[in-house]
Amino acid sequence: MAPAATLLRLSDAAAVAEAAAERLLGALAGSRPVGLATGRTMEPVYAALRRRLAALPAQRRAELLAGWRSFNLDEYVGLAPSDPRSFAAAMATALAAPLELRPGQLQLPDGSAPWPEQEAQRYAVAVAAAGGIGLQLLGLGSNGHVGFNEPPCGADAPCRCLELTPATALQNAAAFGGDPAAVPRRAITLGMVEILAAEQILLVVTGAAKAEILRRALEEPPSAALPASWLLRHPQLTVLMDPPAASRLALS
Ligand code: GLP
């Protein structure tokens, strides 16, 4: 394991969400944009972030919101931002609307772009032009993906348009009426290249269902079969876990 990886097993999922929100709040004050993620793991994180922002003195809150710049990891190909099943809609509900962010402050790939490969290129250029990511928030896919970097995936995989795996369709089916066949076949995702180029990485993992894939990601040699395992190469990786997620780790 990378010597700099910090593994934090907190008391429960609520404590994990609070700790992640605290770090996000700190990163919003930084000079680089924040990298954001979607998924059920992030819902309590964003709720905690909203609460923390609301509790700030009005001027500090206004400063942070005025300076907000973020790039989400990924989006389904074929879903417009107005589609309630899109990640853009999820982010609008969780953060952009309640925080009254201006258009362009919270960015995602455009799932409705007519040429998804070109859209992936455009998005990679936009992230680079903004100076790259400061703090990158990540969840963990049940098959070891981060963003939508599906296995097999090398550490040199760039931002791109790719096919989603059946495992991911199954994991994300709930947002599509429970039907894996209704989940879009393709997505645009930041690659391992952009993720590993972030100043800091914050991997958030909760629930017993992720325990075994987290153990493999952290304890097996990094490999393309498990994209999250490349994170161990990063010099500033923090993993926030609740006890069920950490239950299979050989933590000292
Ligand atoms: C999704 C997203 C990932 C997310 C992961 C975990 O497919 N593309 O960015 O981190 O899967 O999702 P959840 O938190 O719902 O388990």
Side-chain angles (χ1 to χ4, degrees), residues 29-95:
S31 57
R32 289 210 207 172
V34 173
L36 298 179
T38 46
R40 281 154 290 192
T41 311
M42 299 307 158
E43 289 170 12
V45 173
Y46 296 148
L49 180 61
R50 293 193 302 268
R51 284 195 300 273
R52 281 171 184 265
L53 281 162
L56 289 175
Q59 192 178 340
R60 182 69 188 133
R61 178 173 188 272
E63 279 167 10
L64 281 178
L65 292 179
W68 182 295
R69 284 187 310 158
S70 64
F71 289 91
N72 264 74
L73 284 163
D74 46 18
E75 180 60 283
Y76 293 110
V77 167
L79 298 190
S82 58
D83 189 309
R85 302 165 303 176
S86 69
F87 287 159
M91 294 307 295
T93 303
L95 294 176

Side-chain angles (χ1 to χ4, degrees), residues 38-41 73-74 87 139-141 145 147-148 168 171-172 210:
T38 46
R40 281 154 290 192
T41 311
L73 284 163
D74 46 18
F87 287 159
L140 180 63
H145 74 211
F148 267 140
T168 292
Q171 181 188 344
N172 291 2
K210 302 274 178 75

Side-chain angles (χ1 to χ4, degrees), residues 159-213:
C159 182
R160 67 205 181 285
C161 175
L162 81 173
E163 297 276 328
L164 296 176
T165 62
T168 292
L170 204 58
Q171 181 188 344
N172 291 2
F176 295 85
D179 179 8
V183 177
R185 295 286 162 87
R186 293 194 297 160
I188 295 168
T189 186
L190 287 184
M192 294 311 304
V193 168
E194 291 83 11
I195 290 170
L196 292 171
E199 273 173 349
Q200 297 179 57
I201 294 181
L202 185 62
L203 178 65
V204 181
V205 191
T206 54
K210 302 274 178 75
E212 178 58 14
I213 197 74

